[in-house]
């Protein structure tokens, strides 16, 4: 059973947002494609869970480093340099994997790339203006008066100036 949030702005995790009741833009896009697509992806229970691509991982990491750096240690684990061909390397990897359980494991190269992206982005004048007095990754729920359906959205950056959907690309 999905969690139902009252209408308003909620400071919840991305996983809680996706698990919550409410119709999002991406779900509306499925319905626009066809009712069957919506049924299959959302209601059938038959759709395969899509694995993140390396590009998606960098994008998510970039989001975290730019907008919510305080969440990095809770969500990610940086893979130490290990020689997993040796007994010690295998033991060290097992210990790391236990400690990193439920976290996204990153290579040093992935981390470095996303960190450079976030650091350079923060230096841009337009970005600093957008980030000034903004809130990040807040979940908004509202109920349509005509249909009684609840909708939801999660803007990356939201301020009195504008709403921003941050995107990365190769």
């Amino acid at each position: 059973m999905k969690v139902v949030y009252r209408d308003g702005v909620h400071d919840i995790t991305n996983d809680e947002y996706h698990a919550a009741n409410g119709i999002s833009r991406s779900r509306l896009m499925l319905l626009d494609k066809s009712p069957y697509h919506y049924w299959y992806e959302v209601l059938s229970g038959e759709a395969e869970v899509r694995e993140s691509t390396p590009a998606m991982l960098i994008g998510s990491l970039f989001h975290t480093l730019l907008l919510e750096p305080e969440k990095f240690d809770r969500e990610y684990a940086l893979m130490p340099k290990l020689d997993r061909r040796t007994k010690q390397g295998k033991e060290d990897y097992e210990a790391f994997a236990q400690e990193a359980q439920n976290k996204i494991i990153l290579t040093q190269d992935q981390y470095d790339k996303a960190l450079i992206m976030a650091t350079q982005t923060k230096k841009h004048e337009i970005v600093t203006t957008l980030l000034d007095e903004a809130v990040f990754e807040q979940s908004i729920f509202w109920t349509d008066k005509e249909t009684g359906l609840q909708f939801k959205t999660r803007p990356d950056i939201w301020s009195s100036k504008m709403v921003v959907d941050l995107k990365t690309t190769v």
Side-chain angles (χ1 to χ4, degrees), residues 30 35-48 50:
L30 283 172
Y36 175 79
H37 284 88
Y38 182 88
W39 172 84
Y40 179 75
E41 292 289 335
V42 178
L43 302 174
S44 74
E46 297 175 16
E48 293 180 23
R50 294 189 185 110

Side-chain angles (χ1 to χ4, degrees), residues 77-82 84 93 96-97 104-108:
L78 193 56
M79 171 73 83
K81 290 193 185 241
L82 301 170
R84 291 171 49 186
Y93 176 77
F96 166 76
I104 298 166
I105 297 175
L106 304 171
T107 65
Q108 187 68 48

Side-chain angles (χ1 to χ4, degrees), residues 79-94:
M79 171 73 83
K81 290 193 185 241
L82 301 170
D83 185 352
R84 291 171 49 186
R85 296 172 296 178
T86 67
K87 182 179 177 186
Q88 185 63 50
K90 289 176 186 174
E91 289 174 5
D92 290 346
Y93 176 77
E94 286 302 317

Side-chain angles (χ1 to χ4, degrees), residues 24-125:
S24 64
R25 179 185 180 278
S26 59
R27 298 243 168 115
L28 288 173
M29 298 298 284
L30 283 172
L31 188 57
D32 189 46
K33 199 170 188 179
S34 80
Y36 175 79
H37 284 88
Y38 182 88
W39 172 84
Y40 179 75
E41 292 289 335
V42 178
L43 302 174
S44 74
E46 297 175 16
E48 293 180 23
V49 176
R50 294 189 185 110
E51 294 294 320
S52 291
T53 66
M56 291 166 67
L57 174 62
I58 294 294
S60 295
L61 178 57
F62 171 71
H63 266 237
T64 300
L65 293 173
L66 181 68
L67 304 177
E68 302 175 297
E70 71 281 359
K71 293 184 177 179
F72 176 81
D73 289 333
R74 197 176 17 193
E75 297 179 2
Y76 296 92
L78 193 56
M79 171 73 83
K81 290 193 185 241
L82 301 170
D83 185 352
R84 291 171 49 186
R85 296 172 296 178
T86 67
K87 182 179 177 186
Q88 185 63 50
K90 289 176 186 174
E91 289 174 5
D92 290 346
Y93 176 77
E94 286 302 317
F96 166 76
Q98 281 286 59
E99 189 177 314
Q101 208 166 23
N102 299 324
K103 292 183 180 183
I104 298 166
I105 297 175
L106 304 171
T107 65
Q108 187 68 48
D109 287 343
Q110 290 169 323
Y111 174 75
D112 291 344
K113 182 177 188 175
L115 182 61
I116 290 168
M117 291 166 56
T119 301
Q120 293 302 314
T121 301
K122 286 179 188 177
K123 291 179 181 179
H124 197 285
E125 184 180 341

